[in-house]
Amino acid sequence: GANEVGMIEWLVLLLASGGTCMDDMRVLAADEGLWRLVGQRAPSPDAVRRFSMLSTTGRRSSKPRRRHRGRVR
């Protein structure tokens, strides 16, 4: 899998190419010339989702945090 810097690089490429959702990463993954330019293969849409969840929650779980009495657990 891509490291954090590599993942962010691919996310920037996704946005710059007009991608509107993580599933659009498949289009970048199909571009062999782009992988050569970047130096690594594009991550899968699922890998991007997992990275996004970890980055926003600080947790490795794909489950959203539950609220209990107004506080996040």
Side-chain angles (χ1 to χ4, degrees):
N3 61 24
E4 289 179 1
V5 172
M7 186 70 74
I8 292 169
E9 187 173 37
W10 279 106
L11 287 169
V12 169
L13 288 168
L14 177 66
L15 292 172
S17 66
T20 58
C21 66
M22 293 180 197
D23 288 328
D24 290 341
M25 191 62 75
R26 288 186 179 102
V27 175
L28 298 183
D31 187 339
E32 193 173 329
L34 187 57
W35 319 333
R36 290 180 184 169
L37 183 65
V38 174
Q40 64 182 346
R41 290 182 179 258
S44 70
D46 289 335
V48 175
R49 282 186 194 92
R50 283 190 303 274
F51 175 78
S52 176
M53 283 298 282
L54 178 60
S55 297
T56 58
T57 65
R59 299 170 51 189
R60 293 193 180 272
S61 173
S62 61
K63 295 179 183 178
R65 293 183 181 189
R66 292 186 352 205
R67 291 200 171 264
H68 181 68
R69 297 183 188 175
R71 291 185 291 170
V72 176
R73 288 185 152 214

